[in-house]
Amino acid sequence: MWWGLLCALGAACAYGVASVMQSVAARATDTGAAGVDPKLLVHVLGQWKFVLGLLLDVLGFVAQIAALHVLPLFVVQAALAASLAVTAVAARFLGVRLGRREWAAVGVVCAGLALLGAAAESEGSDPVGLGFRFTLIGAVAVLGVAGVVAGKASRRIRTPALGLVAGLCFGVVAIAGRIIPSLAPLDLLTDPATYTVAVAGGLAMLFYATALQRGSVTTSTAMMVLGETVFPSLVGVLVLGDRTRPGFAVVAVAGFALAVLAALALARFGEPATEPRTETKPTVIP
């Protein structure tokens, strides 16, 4: 079980670094179009920072899949929310000073994950049928429409809505990855969950990149964390048979709440550094 938690934390580290690199690339790209523009992904793929971030995402996803086959969804997704703590600590080495509140939030994230690790029970997922797999495909279609609609909304609504839809898409990726029974090539090609992962992952990156480009990174990241943690965790408990060790339910709830809330407090560290502004004094002509 503990190696599964290590895989989840490794995925969080990979995702944390990748999100910063991708946010820098997204903000440096302008397609000139309003709303959600698929060309944004084409443009950012031409930037090495985004490509390197994408490679880190792939490594993180492999580690996430390994963790999902050992740990409950609520443990893995809460651990992934800790990627914001990774980003905050990394910011410290880039010259960004963390205040007492930020360090306290990093400590709370670690404490929450420790509680989750102590409360989690290692076991496989309850089997699901073809109907559940097609339900996930339908959910991806609904989220795709919701993301397009959100991209046309006013700025005040657009950013949090796109972040939330992106998070829900990432949540679908986690659920689909959890129900994939085998990583054998033939099993992957014949399982609808594999294609759900691909489509939902692509939509998630598109909507999140759009939110990063056109709105507050803090708001986008916070809403994404909510979507990718709460939704799949509920599905895991209600449908996939996730449970805690006997008598540790309260500990698990407390750990999950602490980890996610503290991660939300660190959401602003998903924002790329900007060049400091220098004030110039007006020239006085005698």
Side-chain angles (χ1 to χ4, degrees), residues 112 115-116 249-259:
L115 291 176
L116 281 171
V250 175
V251 176
V253 172
F256 182 84
L258 287 175

Side-chain angles (χ1 to χ4, degrees), residues 46-166:
Q47 298 194 38
W48 68 268
K49 291 180 180 179
F50 191 89
V51 174
L52 182 56
L54 197 60
L55 292 176
L56 287 172
D57 278 335
V58 172
L59 291 176
F61 180 69
V62 172
Q64 179 186 359
I65 292 296
L68 285 170
H69 282 77
V70 178
L71 296 173
L73 268 165
F74 61 83
V75 177
V76 177
Q77 296 310 108
L80 295 185
S83 63
L84 294 175
V86 173
T87 303
V89 174
R92 176 67 181 84
F93 294 97
L94 295 175
V96 179
R97 297 189 60 182
L98 303 184
R100 293 181 179 178
R101 292 182 179 179
E102 285 79 16
W103 280 118
V106 171
V108 171
V109 168
C110 295
L113 293 178
L115 291 176
L116 281 171
E121 185 172 62
S122 177
E123 61 179 59
S125 174
D126 286 353
V128 294
L130 197 61
F132 183 80
R133 286 169 161 77
F134 283 118
T135 298
L136 286 182
I137 294 176
V140 172
V142 171
L143 289 172
V145 174
V148 173
V149 173
K152 298 179 180 180
S154 64
R155 183 182 180 88
R156 183 173 62 88
I157 299 175
R158 181 176 62 220
T159 298
L162 282 173
L164 179 60
V165 173

Side-chain angles (χ1 to χ4, degrees), residues 5 9 17-18 26 36 44 47 50 70-71 73 77 108 120 128 151 162 165-166 203 206 208 223 226 248 273 277:
L5 187 57
L9 293 177
V17 177
V36 176
V44 293
Q47 298 194 38
F50 191 89
V70 178
L71 296 173
L73 268 165
Q77 296 310 108
V108 171
V128 294
L162 282 173
V165 173
L203 289 176
L206 174 60
Y208 187 48
M223 296 304 294
L226 285 176
F248 277 76
R277 294 179 61 184

Side-chain angles (χ1 to χ4, degrees), residues 6 45 126 185:
L6 288 176
L45 284 173
D126 286 353

